[in-house]
Amino acid sequence: MLEHGGRLRAAARRYGIAEAGWLDLSTGIAPYGWELPAIPVAAWARLPELEDGLEDAARRYYGCESLLPVAGSQAAIQALPRLRERSRVGVISPCYAEHAHAWRREGHELEALDAQTAERELERFDVVLVVNPNNPTGERLTPQTLLGWRARLAERGGWLLVDEAFMDCTPQQSLASHCPLPGLVVLRSFGKFFGLAGIRLGFVLAETALLDRLNEWLGPWAVSGPARALAKALLQDEAGQTVQRQTLLRDGLRLETLLRDCGLPPAGGTALFQRLLRDDALALHEFLAARGILTRLFTSPPSLRFGLPPDEAGWARLDRALTDFSKERP
């Protein structure tokens, strides 16, 4: 299994700091969210039923009529490669490593690409995979570019697979409203924006025929009753979504400014994370970890990803640590 952020228990053991003593910035998950509504007892006691309003709420939220809830977008990442015969897959890289891992495991031929190569050589591929905004770089491709790729791929029965896990703060850049165009598959994560990664919920937006195949492969009751009930309520809470979006955009800018002011200018990011591209990324990671601040370390190329602190105490703690690092390593 690939490594991910959020492995707080492992960090606690490695550095000898109790879990409660950590400031965990290793994920791109919103560190705050809603006061959660009560979950009906029936959601716990009965098997999930589809006619509960979740799909309707999601259709309104994403602006798309053709979607399927899944147990986290990770479930779709693992399943989609099984729905195609052996294909040549271009992956706009670097990106979330589970994508390439899943396609390679199913025997597909993979090639890492940049956007310029994809534009020139798209006809060499059956599937092109894009994380937009990119994780971990924060780079974005315009809807116009991606829709052009989609059209070229669809002419040959190909797919454009777009992972929009970090798109909720900038919905105007989403391709969700263009589904179900032929050959377009969009993945959306619920937990990151809503600050509820543990709910394990995501949505696949695509043609109905493809969703039917995916649903059959995943089997019945893929999403739990409590998850469905909670997600329905939050997807309907437009006022709460507006506040969350504004807060995350504000704090994303605050994190970018803090890093820059400490002499550590980010190489890119989103409202939910910032990325430092540095040769001494490992040294900075270890420096912060020794102070109970966990970041996400990448080795190729050497880089760190910082999530958002959850409160003012966390912001002050990060500021002190980064200031100390800058003084020690001018």
Side-chain angles (χ1 to χ4, degrees):
M1 295 182 65
L2 301 179
E3 290 191 4
H4 298 280
R7 301 182 67 228
L8 191 57
R9 291 179 181 172
R13 289 193 299 269
R14 176 176 178 181
Y15 295 99
I17 301 172
E19 289 183 45
W22 284 87
L23 174 60
D24 185 4
L25 308 179
S26 67
T27 73
I29 299 165
Y32 37 70
W34 278 253
E35 181 178 347
L36 299 183
I39 296 176
V41 173
W44 297 100
R46 297 176 55 84
L47 289 171
E49 297 194 42
L50 299 183
E51 296 82 12
D52 60 359
L54 171 63
E55 283 82 358
D56 289 338
R59 291 183 187 109
R60 288 191 294 272
Y61 179 80
Y62 293 116
C64 171
E65 288 299 313
S66 183
L67 55 76
L68 177 71
V70 294
S73 53
Q74 181 63 39
I77 289 170
Q78 294 178 206
L80 285 168
R82 302 186 178 193
L83 302 185
R84 286 193 68 96
E85 296 182 353
R86 191 172 188 273
S87 299
R88 177 171 289 182
V89 181
V91 182
I92 305 299
S93 300
C95 73
Y96 181 57
E98 288 287 352
H99 284 290
H101 182 64
W103 286 89
R104 187 176 292 111
R105 182 177 54 210
E106 300 304 321
H108 299 279
E109 180 183 347
L110 265 69
E111 183 176 331
L113 303 173
D114 57 29
Q116 292 72 30
T117 303
E119 180 68 40
R120 292 194 309 269
E121 304 179 16
L122 199 72
E123 279 65 33
R124 295 199 295 114
F125 299 96
D126 306 301
V127 176
V128 171
L129 195 155
V130 182
V131 180
N132 198 49
N134 186 277
N135 173 25
T137 70
E139 294 175 348
R140 293 168 172 81
L141 294 174
T142 67
Q144 293 77 14
T145 294
L146 294 174
L147 289 172
W149 292 1
R150 193 283 317 172
R152 291 163 64 186
L153 288 160
E155 288 179 354
R156 299 175 287 107
W159 290 357
L160 175 68
L161 175 55
V162 186
D163 182 345
E164 293 187 345
F166 291 95
M167 188 62 80
D168 292 72
C169 284
T170 52
Q172 68 278 8
Q173 298 175 13
S174 173
L175 296 186
S177 64
H178 295 278
C179 295
L181 282 174
L184 178 60
V185 184
V186 174
L187 306 183
R188 295 297 293 259
S189 169
F190 181 86
K192 293 180 176 62
F193 173 75
F194 288 92
L196 295 169
I199 199 172
R200 304 312 308 134
L201 177 65
F203 293 88
V204 184
L205 288 56
E207 295 178 272
T208 301
L210 175 57
L211 296 181
D212 288 344
R213 292 174 60 206
L214 178 60
N215 191 35
E216 182 177 356
W217 193 93
L218 293 172
W221 314 302
V223 177
S224 74
R228 292 181 66 92
L230 184 58
K232 172 188 170 184
L234 298 189
L235 288 169
Q236 292 175 328
D237 184 2
E238 295 183 8
Q241 294 159 18
T242 297
V243 171
Q244 181 80 337
R245 188 170 294 113
Q246 292 172 344
T247 304
L248 289 171
L249 287 168
R250 179 199 68 200
D251 284 353
L253 180 59
R254 182 179 180 179
L255 179 58
E256 179 184 359
T257 301
L258 173 59
L259 291 166
R260 195 176 304 278
D261 289 348
C262 290
L264 303 165
T270 71
L272 283 162
F273 66 82
Q274 292 293 317
R275 181 198 191 210
L276 294 188
L277 188 63
R278 296 177 61 92
D279 292 337
D280 62 351
L282 175 59
L284 177 53
H285 174 79
E286 293 292 328
F287 182 92
L288 295 172
R291 288 154 179 79
I293 300 175
L294 187 60
T295 56
R296 179 75 166 93
L297 176 66
F298 297 86
T299 58
S300 182
S303 53
L304 286 185
R305 191 187 65 194
F306 288 73
L308 300 176
D311 50 33
E312 288 303 319
W315 284 102
R317 184 175 173 184
L318 178 60
D319 191 350
R320 288 193 301 270
L322 293 176
T323 300
D324 290 346
F325 180 81
S326 296
K327 289 178 179 176
E328 291 188 15
R329 301 173 70 94

